[in-house]
Short mmCIF file of all heavy atoms in Angstrom, two decimals:
data_model
loop_
_atom_site.label_atom_id
_atom_site.label_comp_id
_atom_site.label_asym_id
_atom_site.label_seq_id
_atom_site.Cartn_x
_atom_site.Cartn_y
_atom_site.Cartn_z
N LEU A 154 -9.41 74.51 -34.65
CA LEU A 154 -9.65 73.07 -34.75
C LEU A 154 -8.88 72.37 -33.64
O LEU A 154 -7.66 72.52 -33.53
CB LEU A 154 -9.21 72.55 -36.11
CG LEU A 154 -9.41 71.06 -36.39
CD1 LEU A 154 -10.89 70.70 -36.39
CD2 LEU A 154 -8.78 70.67 -37.73
N ILE A 155 -9.60 71.62 -32.79
CA ILE A 155 -8.99 70.91 -31.67
C ILE A 155 -9.07 69.42 -31.95
O ILE A 155 -10.16 68.88 -32.17
CB ILE A 155 -9.70 71.24 -30.34
CG1 ILE A 155 -9.66 72.75 -30.07
CG2 ILE A 155 -9.07 70.47 -29.19
CD1 ILE A 155 -10.46 73.18 -28.85
N LEU A 156 -7.92 68.75 -31.91
CA LEU A 156 -7.87 67.32 -32.21
C LEU A 156 -7.25 66.59 -31.03
O LEU A 156 -6.12 66.88 -30.64
CB LEU A 156 -7.06 67.06 -33.48
CG LEU A 156 -7.57 67.80 -34.71
CD1 LEU A 156 -6.62 68.95 -35.04
CD2 LEU A 156 -7.65 66.86 -35.91
N ASP A 157 -7.98 65.64 -30.50
CA ASP A 157 -7.53 64.86 -29.34
C ASP A 157 -7.02 63.51 -29.83
O ASP A 157 -7.81 62.64 -30.22
CB ASP A 157 -8.70 64.68 -28.36
CG ASP A 157 -8.24 64.24 -26.98
OD1 ASP A 157 -7.03 64.01 -26.79
OD2 ASP A 157 -9.09 64.13 -26.08
N GLU A 158 -5.71 63.35 -29.87
CA GLU A 158 -5.05 62.11 -30.32
C GLU A 158 -5.60 61.65 -31.69
O GLU A 158 -6.11 60.54 -31.82
CB GLU A 158 -5.24 61.00 -29.29
CG GLU A 158 -4.67 61.29 -27.92
CD GLU A 158 -3.14 61.28 -27.86
OE1 GLU A 158 -2.51 61.10 -28.92
OE2 GLU A 158 -2.61 61.44 -26.76
N PRO A 159 -5.49 62.48 -32.73
CA PRO A 159 -6.14 62.15 -34.01
C PRO A 159 -5.50 60.99 -34.76
O PRO A 159 -6.12 60.43 -35.67
CB PRO A 159 -6.00 63.44 -34.81
CG PRO A 159 -4.77 64.09 -34.27
CD PRO A 159 -4.79 63.77 -32.79
N THR A 160 -4.26 60.63 -34.43
CA THR A 160 -3.58 59.57 -35.20
C THR A 160 -3.44 58.27 -34.41
O THR A 160 -2.85 57.32 -34.91
CB THR A 160 -2.18 60.03 -35.65
OG1 THR A 160 -1.40 60.36 -34.49
CG2 THR A 160 -2.27 61.24 -36.56
N ILE A 161 -4.00 58.20 -33.20
CA ILE A 161 -3.83 57.00 -32.40
C ILE A 161 -4.54 55.82 -33.06
O ILE A 161 -5.67 55.93 -33.52
CB ILE A 161 -4.33 57.22 -30.96
CG1 ILE A 161 -3.83 56.11 -30.03
CG2 ILE A 161 -5.85 57.33 -30.89
CD1 ILE A 161 -3.98 56.42 -28.57
N GLY A 162 -3.83 54.72 -33.19
CA GLY A 162 -4.39 53.52 -33.78
C GLY A 162 -4.38 53.50 -35.30
O GLY A 162 -4.83 52.52 -35.91
N LEU A 163 -3.86 54.56 -35.93
CA LEU A 163 -3.82 54.59 -37.39
C LEU A 163 -2.55 53.94 -37.92
O LEU A 163 -1.50 53.97 -37.27
CB LEU A 163 -3.89 56.04 -37.89
CG LEU A 163 -5.15 56.84 -37.59
CD1 LEU A 163 -5.07 58.20 -38.26
CD2 LEU A 163 -6.41 56.10 -38.04
N ASP A 164 -2.66 53.38 -39.12
CA ASP A 164 -1.47 52.85 -39.77
C ASP A 164 -0.69 54.00 -40.41
O ASP A 164 -1.16 55.15 -40.42
CB ASP A 164 -1.85 51.78 -40.80
CG ASP A 164 -2.71 52.30 -41.94
OD1 ASP A 164 -2.76 53.54 -42.15
OD2 ASP A 164 -3.35 51.49 -42.62
N PRO A 165 0.52 53.74 -40.91
CA PRO A 165 1.33 54.85 -41.47
C PRO A 165 0.62 55.65 -42.57
O PRO A 165 0.81 56.86 -42.67
CB PRO A 165 2.57 54.13 -42.00
CG PRO A 165 2.70 52.93 -41.12
CD PRO A 165 1.28 52.48 -40.85
N ILE A 166 -0.19 54.98 -43.40
CA ILE A 166 -0.90 55.69 -44.45
C ILE A 166 -1.94 56.64 -43.84
O ILE A 166 -2.07 57.80 -44.25
CB ILE A 166 -1.56 54.71 -45.43
CG1 ILE A 166 -0.48 53.91 -46.18
CG2 ILE A 166 -2.46 55.44 -46.42
CD1 ILE A 166 -1.03 52.80 -47.05
N GLY A 167 -2.67 56.15 -42.83
CA GLY A 167 -3.66 56.98 -42.17
C GLY A 167 -3.03 58.17 -41.47
O GLY A 167 -3.56 59.29 -41.50
N ILE A 168 -1.87 57.95 -40.83
CA ILE A 168 -1.15 59.04 -40.17
C ILE A 168 -0.72 60.09 -41.19
O ILE A 168 -0.88 61.30 -40.97
CB ILE A 168 0.06 58.50 -39.39
CG1 ILE A 168 -0.41 57.67 -38.19
CG2 ILE A 168 0.97 59.63 -38.93
CD1 ILE A 168 0.70 56.93 -37.48
N ARG A 169 -0.21 59.62 -42.32
CA ARG A 169 0.21 60.56 -43.38
C ARG A 169 -0.97 61.37 -43.88
O ARG A 169 -0.87 62.58 -44.09
CB ARG A 169 0.84 59.78 -44.53
CG ARG A 169 1.35 60.67 -45.67
CD ARG A 169 1.49 59.87 -46.95
NE ARG A 169 0.20 59.33 -47.37
CZ ARG A 169 0.06 58.40 -48.32
NH1 ARG A 169 1.12 57.91 -48.92
NH2 ARG A 169 -1.15 57.95 -48.65
#
Side-chain angles (χ1 to χ4, degrees):
L154 181 64
I155 302 174
L156 303 106
D157 196 357
E158 300 288 4
T160 59
I161 194 165
L163 297 184
D164 62 18
I166 294 173
I168 291 172
R169 181 201 61 193

